[in-house]
C-alpha cells in the first residue's frame, strides 16, 4: 500500500464520557507532608490539573483547531503513519520535515507552520510510530531510529519530494540525524535543538568550563542523578508501566506533566499540556511510546557494542547541520561538537525542551535563518 488518505481527528463521544468518568473517580494517593516537588509532581498540582482536564478543557475545540491543518495517513513497512502536510503554494518551495520527541506530539509544531509556509516552505509533520495517530503499532522494532528515518524518507518520496530539509528535537533529533544516511543525496541540511550528553553516561566534569557551560553541566548532573526515573522505566519495563498509562488518565497526565514542568523555561497554557495528554490518552500511545523508548535504547546499546560509540556527540551525515540551544538545555558545545562540525550554532536565553510551544517565534526565525541558505 502506497496511497495516502485524508484524515480527520474525531474522538467518539463514548471515549470522552469515559475520560470524564475516570477523572471524576480518581483514587488519589496519600502524600508525605512537606515534600513539595522533590519526589515528583505534587498532589495539589495534580488535583488542579485533573479538575481542569475534567471541567475546564474543551477537547472538541482543540479537535477543531488540530483539524484546521491538513492531515493524512499512509502505510509504510506495515505501519500506519499519520502526518500533517501544508504546502505553501510557492514555486521552488523547500520541503521541511519536522519530527517531535517524547513526551511530545505533532501538535507542538502547529504554531510555527504559518511563518514557515509564509516564507516558502512546504511543511511535513509526521507522528512517530506509536505516537498519536501513528497507532496501533503493527509489530516490534519501530523504536529503531534508522527504521523510523527510512519510513520518513519514504513518506517524503510519496509526497513527491526528492530533495528536502529536516528539523527535530529530542528523539526527533536522532531521527533527523539519520535521514542523510538513509536518504543519501536527498537531504540538503538538518537542524536540531538541544543535543546533550548521553544520559546514562558519566557525570560531566565542571572544571574549566565557562560560566554558562558550567551551569548547564551542573544541571545535567542533577538531571542524571534525580531525573532519570522515567527513562529507566521506559527503557527496561515498558510493559509494566503500560497498564497505568492506559488505565488511568491521571497516571498518564502525571507522567508527562512532570516533564513539562521540569523541562520548560516558559509557563505554557494548561490547554497545551492537556491537549498533549488527551492525544496520548485517546490513542493509548503512552504504552506504545514507552515501548518505542525501550526499543530505541536496545538498538543504541547494540550499536554502542559494535562501534564503541557512547553517544552524546554531533554527527552530520555529510550535510550541513545547524544547532539551537535553548535556556534549559544541557548542551555544551565543546563536548557535543568538539571538532566544530556544526555549520550553524545559536544559543538563546529563553525556551526549553519544547521550543515550538514555548518560544515559537524564536524557533521559526531560527529555522528560516538556517535553512534559507540551502534552498
Amino acid at each position: 500500500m502506497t496511497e495516502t488518505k485524508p484524515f480527520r481527528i474525531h474522538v467518539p463521544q463514548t471515549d470522552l464520557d469515559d475520560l470524564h468518568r475516570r477523572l471524576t473517580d480518581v483514587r488519589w494517593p496519600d502524600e508525605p507532608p512537606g515534600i513539595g516537588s522533590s519526589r515528583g509532581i505534587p498532589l495539589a498540582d495534580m488535583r488542579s490539573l485533573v479538575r481542569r482536564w475534567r471541567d475546564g478543557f474543551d477537547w472538541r475545540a482543540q479537535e477543531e483547531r488540530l483539524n484546521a491543518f491538513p492531515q493524512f495517513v499512509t502505510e509504510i513497512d506495515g505501519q500506519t503513519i499519520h502526518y500533517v502536510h501544508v504546502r505553501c503554494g510557492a514555486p521552488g518551495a523547500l520541503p521541511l520535515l519536522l519530527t517531535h520527541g517524547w513526551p511530545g506530539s505533532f501538535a507542538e509544531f502547529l504554531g510555527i507552520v504559518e511563518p514557515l509556509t509564509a516564507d516558502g516552505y512546504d511543511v511535513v509533520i509526521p507522528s512517530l510510530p506509536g505516537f498519536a495517530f501513528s497507532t496501533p503499532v503493527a509489530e516490534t522494532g519501530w523504536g529503531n531510529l534508522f527504521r523510523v528515518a527510512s519510513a520518513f524518507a519514504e513518506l517524503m518520496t510519496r509526497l513527491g519530494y526528492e530533495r528536502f530539509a529536516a528539523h527535530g528535537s529530542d528523539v526527533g533529533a536522532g531521527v533527523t540525524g539519520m535521514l542523510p544516511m538513509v536518504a543519501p543525496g536527498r537531504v540538503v541540511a538538518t537542524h536540531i535543538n538541544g543535543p546533550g550528553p548521553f544520559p546514562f553516561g558519566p557525570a560531566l566534569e565542571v572544571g574549566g568550563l565557562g560560566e554558562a557551560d558550567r551551569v548547564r553541566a551542573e544541571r545535567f548532573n542533577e538531571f542524571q542523578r534525580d531525573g532519570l526515573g522515567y527513562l529507566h522505566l521506559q527503557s527496561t519495563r515498558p510493559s509494566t508501566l503500560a497498564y497505568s498509562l492506559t488505565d488511568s488518565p491521571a497516571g498518564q497526565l502525571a507522567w508527562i506533566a512532570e516533564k513539562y514542568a521540569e523541562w520548560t523555561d516558559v509557563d505554557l497554557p494548561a490547554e497545551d499540556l492537556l491537549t498533549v495528554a488527551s492525544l496520548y490518552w485517546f490513542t493509548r500511545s503512552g504504552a506504545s511510546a514507552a515501548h518505542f523508548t525501550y526499543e530505541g535504547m536496545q538498538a543504541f546499546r547494540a550499536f554502542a557494542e559494535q562501534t564503541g560509540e557512547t553517544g552524546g556527540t554531533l554527527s552530520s551525515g555529510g550535510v550541513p547541520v545547524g544547532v539551537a540551544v535553548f535556556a534549559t538545555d544541557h548542551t555544551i558545545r565543546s563536548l557535543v561538537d568538539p571538532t566544530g562540525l556544526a555549520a550553524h550554532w545559536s544559543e538563546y536565553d529563553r525556551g526549553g525542551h519544547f521550543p515550538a510551544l514555548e518560544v515559537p517565534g524564536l524557533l521559526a526565525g531560527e529555522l528560516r535563518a538556517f535553512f534559507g541558505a540551502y534552498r
Side-chain angles (χ1 to χ4, degrees):
M1 173 183 171
T2 59
E3 65 179 326
T4 62
K5 297 180 179 179
F7 178 83
R8 284 184 63 82
I9 303 168
H10 180 73
V11 172
Q13 186 59 43
T14 52
D15 287 2
L16 288 171
D17 294 341
D18 176 68
L19 173 61
H20 188 273
R21 177 186 63 79
R22 290 170 184 264
L23 293 174
T24 300
D25 296 337
V26 174
R27 188 178 183 214
W28 294 105
D30 294 326
E31 181 179 79
I35 62 172
S37 60
S38 64
R39 303 184 188 184
I41 190 164
L43 179 59
D45 292 352
M46 274 305 300
R47 284 185 178 275
S48 176
L49 278 172
V50 165
R51 280 195 303 270
R52 181 69 174 269
W53 200 5
R54 184 190 64 197
D55 300 328
F57 177 72
D58 186 346
W59 168 253
R60 292 299 186 206
Q62 294 303 315
E63 208 172 50
E64 183 177 353
R65 178 180 71 87
L66 299 176
N67 281 330
F69 295 85
Q71 296 173 60
F72 306 85
V73 291
T74 190
E75 184 181 298
I76 300 176
D77 194 13
Q79 176 60 41
T80 296
I81 301 294
H82 161 264
Y83 62 97
V84 170
H85 183 203
V86 184
R87 295 184 186 271
C88 70
L94 178 63
L96 177 54
L97 179 70
L98 305 176
T99 306
H100 67 86
W102 184 91
S105 76
F106 74 97
E108 70 190 62
F109 288 119
L110 298 182
I112 65 172
V113 169
E114 192 280 330
L116 291 174
T117 55
D119 198 34
Y121 295 90
D122 285 357
V123 178
V124 180
I125 312 171
S127 294
L128 290 167
F131 290 70
F133 301 103
S134 290
T135 50
V137 178
E139 60 183 7
T140 59
W142 277 106
N144 185 321
L145 301 192
F146 278 101
R147 188 178 186 184
V148 178
S150 296
F152 286 0
E154 170 61 19
L155 173 62
M156 298 304 278
T157 298
R158 293 186 186 183
L159 296 178
Y161 298 128
E162 178 59 29
R163 176 178 176 272
F164 61 94
H167 162 78
S169 60
D170 189 74
V171 172
V175 174
T176 297
M178 293 176 184
L179 281 165
M181 304 175 201
V182 301
R186 296 181 60 196
V187 182
V188 299
T190 62
H191 185 280
I192 59 176
N193 65 262
F198 181 52
F200 292 142
L204 299 181
E205 294 290 339
V206 301
L209 295 176
E211 176 64 17
D213 285 344
R214 182 186 61 78
V215 170
R216 291 192 180 104
E218 290 174 347
R219 188 190 304 128
F220 172 78
N221 290 342
E222 181 181 357
F223 163 70
Q224 194 180 48
R225 183 180 66 247
D226 301 328
L228 281 181
Y230 79 96
L231 190 55
H232 282 288
L233 281 172
Q234 293 194 147
S235 61
T236 58
R237 291 295 184 268
S239 291
T240 303
L241 176 64
Y243 301 105
S244 298
L245 298 182
T246 306
D247 189 59
S248 169
Q252 175 65 86
L253 177 60
W255 192 243
I256 62 176
E258 177 192 88
K259 300 312 166 195
Y260 277 76
E262 292 181 349
W263 295 352
T264 55
D265 175 61
V266 176
D267 289 334
L268 294 172
E271 282 72 15
D272 287 342
L273 170 60
L274 296 176
T275 296
V276 173
S278 297
L279 287 169
Y280 276 81
W281 175 255
F282 290 132
T283 62
R284 304 188 182 199
S285 54
S288 49
H291 284 285
F292 183 100
T293 303
Y294 172 87
E295 293 177 1
M297 292 304 299
Q298 295 300 312
F300 177 79
R301 289 189 180 106
F303 173 77
E305 289 175 2
Q306 292 174 0
T307 65
E309 295 287 338
T310 58
T313 56
L314 197 64
S315 62
S316 70
V319 304
V321 58
V323 177
V325 180
F326 293 90
T328 67
D329 289 332
H330 302 142
T331 308
I332 298 171
R333 187 170 191 178
S334 61
L335 303 181
V336 171
D337 187 23
T339 63
L341 191 64
H344 170 93
W345 189 283
S346 297
E347 298 190 7
Y348 297 97
D349 61 0
R350 292 183 291 145
H353 192 70
F354 310 95
L357 285 177
E358 299 175 65
V359 285
L362 282 184
L363 180 61
E366 166 76 13
L367 297 182
R368 292 161 68 189
F370 173 64
F371 287 121
Y374 303 103
R375 291 183 184 275

